[in-house]
Amino acid sequence: MRYWWVNQNQTYRHEIAGGYLWSPKRKSNGGINPYYESMREVSPGDIVLSFADTHIAAIGIARSHCYECPKPAEFGSAGMHWDAVGWKVEVRFAELSNRVRPADYMEILRPRLPDRYSPLLPDGRGSQAVYLTEISSPLFEALRELNTTT
């Protein structure tokens, strides 16, 4: 089992309600995006933390591998420059009633952040460039513990 972090500011309500993750396959200039490529590494049973509006807002369990899929119509104008076909992963999400704001706990989280492809900036704000990235078990456990104690 692996742990994933998804930054969903633009698509949170659609993806959580619809039970999926969706990303383009490539950047708008045709280049490879490592955060879109991460979609291809998700496996059923993996855990996904959803970050939206500065908080860990939901947790999910992947129910499928990644597969090719048209951009969801419900996205509307979100991602206007995204290709019409991308990657989709089915995820069973549950919204959290006790939402953790990582920026409030950076002294705990900062040492556990990856050196490469970190979902958070040093001050705890979400990295706008990141869609989906793998996180370590120690980072996941720290966030889980914060969710149960705050």
Side-chain angles (χ1 to χ4, degrees), residues 28-49:
S28 58
N29 67 5
I32 293 174
N33 182 324
Y35 308 111
Y36 299 159
E37 289 296 304
S38 291
M39 293 282 284
R40 299 170 61 180
E41 297 180 35
V42 176
S43 295
D46 287 356
I47 304 295
V48 180
L49 293 178

Side-chain angles (χ1 to χ4, degrees), residues 5 16 20 24 45 53 61 80 83 86 98 121 128-129 150:
W5 175 296
I16 298 301
Y20 63 86
D53 195 27
I61 299 173
M80 284 189 293
D83 286 340
N98 185 27
L121 300 172
Q128 293 296 316
T150 58

Side-chain angles (χ1 to χ4, degrees), residues 3 49 108-109 111-113 135-146:
Y3 301 99
L49 293 178
I108 296 167
L109 302 176
R112 293 169 172 86
L113 289 173
I135 61 171
S136 68
S137 178
L139 178 56
F140 173 79
E141 291 301 326
L143 289 162
R144 187 178 63 80
E145 189 168 310
L146 288 170

Side-chain angles (χ1 to χ4, degrees), residues 84-95:
V85 176
W87 301 122
K88 187 173 186 176
V89 173
E90 304 292 334
V91 181
R92 185 177 62 233
F93 281 108
E95 291 192 276

Side-chain angles (χ1 to χ4, degrees), residues 67-114:
Y67 58 93
E68 191 173 270
C69 182
K71 179 181 166 188
E74 62 264 28
F75 282 9
S77 63
M80 284 189 293
H81 302 290
W82 294 338
D83 286 340
V85 176
W87 301 122
K88 187 173 186 176
V89 173
E90 304 292 334
V91 181
R92 185 177 62 233
F93 281 108
E95 291 192 276
L96 300 173
S97 56
N98 185 27
R99 296 179 175 195
V100 172
R101 184 174 177 262
D104 294 339
Y105 302 98
M106 288 310 291
E107 67 282 352
I108 296 167
L109 302 176
R110 192 175 293 111
R112 293 169 172 86
L113 289 173

